[in-house]
Amino acid sequence: MKKSNSVFVLMILIASLVLAGCSSAPSSPAPPAPAKERVLKLRLPSSLASLNPQQTTAIRDTKVWVQIYEGLYGIDESKNGYYKELAKDVTLSADQKVYTITLRDGVKFHNGEPLKASDVVFTYKRAMKDPRFGYLTAKIKDVAAVNDATVKVTLTESYAPIVHTFSSLKIMNEKEVTSLGDKFGTVPSKAGTGPYYPTEYNVATGVKLQAFENYWGGAANIKKVEYRVISDDATVQVTFANRELDYLEDAALSNWNTLKTEAGEGNNAMLKGNNIHFLAVNYQSPTNNKILANDKVRQAILYAINKDDINKAMAGGFGTPAVSYMPHEYVPTSPATGFETYKFNPAKAKELLKEAGYPNGVDVGTLITYPSPTSFNGIIAQVIQSNLADVGIKCAVQVAVNAITTPKMYSQNYDLAVFSDSNNFDFNNIRQQVHSESKGMYLVKYVDGKFDWQRIEKLVELGATTADVKERQKHYTELWKIIMDSATINPLIHRPVAIVWAKDLNVGKPVPTYYKVKDFSWKK
């Protein structure tokens, strides 16, 4: 199928940006300091908002916090998800509503205080009062200390995804947090149990960490860590080449070839990201005369989209075309097979248009997205526009900042929309896109619509109340089949995560999001 000139030009332009990269760097960087004295240097793309792990939910910040704080559970992306961290043993009541958690022995906070059940209760009660953490704590009825080593968490109903809460809420020392009061998060403290504690913090420049020698898992090999705020990608490239950065994750794809060469073989990785960019098709669009209510029109739209074109244009071919809302590698409960995927088929798209009564093509309205035309979502929208034009489907593209665009999406005041989401570790998070209780969050409104929305919502509940992973995946596969058969959501691509590190640094198995500095070491 011959591509239109517009998508060809767009792909050439983006490819040139991805493959180019800046080559300027000092010719003779200073040699590294001895391993015992050497500081591991990492980048912060923007200022760290706080040292309080309950201050924000931004991934940028939590990547730092996981070096300092720990939850009852942790996340290991290299081993398919959740594992017990500060929890040693967990028992579940017969009705699956009460979790009795025995804490790990010998854990100390950075201030020397032993970990107690009262600290867990303090942390959870604090989060339960904060509206920002309602999505994590809504199912919790009560948290109580049985004794110093045991916590009982009572839920309002059986809810298997509670382990995401156990991982997301980082345990803080009640004494340390209380003594600092309003200053907590704005100055270094010793309120965590993690392998590192902060020694310096400056909103503008970054944060410095020191290895905690009494860490329950054994002191980290690398003793000093420094996160530096560097917002400009070109500056990052020069800084890495000059050995002023040792580990750079989620590097700009436009700098990849140069960074990869600079790092050398065995010191770089291009990983499949735990993220998703998808197309939403509003079958109840208020503006397009019910054209999108026609099943065959929506199906034609999905068959007309070439995910390989999207991958080349926005990710230089390094991304992964998506079939589900979450990648199965990182989310074991995510469906992998058993549903329609709408593999690129322009001939079928044209035939479906003809069957729908539009043999000469159709205008389906406007495709909206955010935040800019040169962003990942903006590029995707332009490729989709060109793909659709190739089969006779016309649509305008409108790109605006989040504050303008997302309210339209969440109120279903749109025709087509490109949206993105990231770092889901349990397929229960699909609830926000398909369940009526998530009003104000989903893009496609299924409740009271023409699809089997009652079954969709029932399957969401079954997936959340069943503990067995295989059984949960079975429910979610049926749910996802209904969604894909409706041709209202089309998962497009998982964005790649580019990582490079110093030649004398061991990082173990690279992961796309939550790396652990405690697992790093200098080569001898």
Side-chain angles (χ1 to χ4, degrees), residues 457-476:
E457 301 201 353
K458 178 64 174 177
L459 289 165
V460 169
E461 301 306 327
L462 287 172
T465 57
T466 305
D468 183 80
V469 171
K470 290 184 178 180
E471 191 67 18
R472 295 185 70 203
Q473 190 189 57
K474 178 182 176 182
H475 295 315
Y476 290 139

Side-chain angles (χ1 to χ4, degrees), residues 9-71:
V9 171
L10 175 65
M11 288 169 61
I12 291 297
L13 173 61
I14 300 302
S16 67
L17 291 173
V18 170
L19 296 176
C22 174
S23 60
S24 62
S27 57
S28 55
K36 289 184 179 180
E37 304 172 10
R38 187 170 175 187
V39 178
L40 178 74
K41 298 176 289 292
L42 305 97
R43 177 209 188 185
L44 277 174
S46 58
S47 298
L48 184 70
S50 173
L51 290 175
N52 175 359
Q54 290 187 0
Q55 184 64 36
T56 78
T57 57
I59 297 299
R60 171 204 62 211
D61 296 341
T62 56
K63 288 180 180 182
V64 179
W65 291 341
V66 297
Q67 320 305 333
I68 303 170
Y69 299 95
E70 297 172 307

Side-chain angles (χ1 to χ4, degrees), residues 27 43 48 96 135 169 277 312 320 341 457 518 521:
S27 57
R43 177 209 188 185
L48 184 70
Q96 298 189 24
Y135 74 103
L169 294 181
H277 295 264
K312 292 173 185 176
T320 306
T341 60
E457 301 201 353
K518 70 179 178 62
S521 63

Side-chain angles (χ1 to χ4, degrees), residues 443-486:
L443 275 67
V444 180
K445 182 181 178 182
Y446 297 104
V447 64
D448 297 327
K450 67 183 204 174
F451 307 109
D452 193 353
W453 64 270
Q454 294 97 335
R455 183 59 181 168
I456 290 174
E457 301 201 353
K458 178 64 174 177
L459 289 165
V460 169
E461 301 306 327
L462 287 172
T465 57
T466 305
D468 183 80
V469 171
K470 290 184 178 180
E471 191 67 18
R472 295 185 70 203
Q473 190 189 57
K474 178 182 176 182
H475 295 315
Y476 290 139
T477 299
E478 182 185 345
L479 182 157
W480 193 241
K481 184 179 187 305
I482 295 173
I483 298 301
M484 293 304 288
D485 285 348
S486 74

